[in-house]
Amino acid sequence: MYQFLVSFAVQPDHRDDFVQAARRTARDSLTNEPGSHRFEVIADEENPDVFYLNEVYADVDAFNAHATGPYFAAFFAEAGAYAEGPTWLMRGNLVGDKAAA
């Protein structure tokens, strides 16, 4: 499993817009991309302008398919106007996973 955590700093007046765009991307990716396994939208507990995306894919190839797909592009086309990021906080393969070999 290929996993990562990224953060975004969002303009205060666009928090709801960001959450809606990210949740729509999560829904569409999980429904239509076979290699997408988890896509969580997380609000920072201390800073209301920071959000995290915690994503899990079958392997790095599945992530690359997501990154070149329509849902990824649509998310960044919208969120890029009011959010800074992604800032990569963690990425890698699950230890002991066959995909990591």
Side-chain angles (χ1 to χ4, degrees):
M1 297 284 175
Y2 182 74
Q3 305 184 35
F4 65 85
L5 176 67
V6 294
S7 68
F8 287 85
V10 179
Q11 295 172 6
D13 54 333
H14 287 283
R15 288 183 203 125
D16 290 340
D17 298 327
F18 181 86
V19 170
Q20 288 176 353
R23 292 183 72 194
R24 181 174 49 250
T25 303
R27 180 199 66 219
D28 293 343
S29 297
L30 292 168
T31 300
N32 300 306
E33 297 173 346
S36 294
H37 293 295
R38 183 170 65 221
F39 193 125
E40 299 168 324
V41 182
I42 303 165
D44 188 271
E45 70 179 355
E46 294 181 8
N47 185 342
D49 300 331
V50 173
F51 293 89
Y52 305 98
L53 301 183
N54 184 32
E55 302 180 38
V56 177
Y57 296 87
D59 52 32
V60 73
D61 292 335
F63 167 69
N64 289 333
H66 166 72
T68 59
Y71 312 116
F72 185 92
F75 171 76
F76 279 100
E78 179 179 339
Y82 50 76
E84 291 181 28
T87 299
W88 291 88
L89 303 172
M90 179 278 297
R91 61 180 150 190
N93 289 295
L94 181 64
V95 174
D97 189 9
K98 292 184 288 188

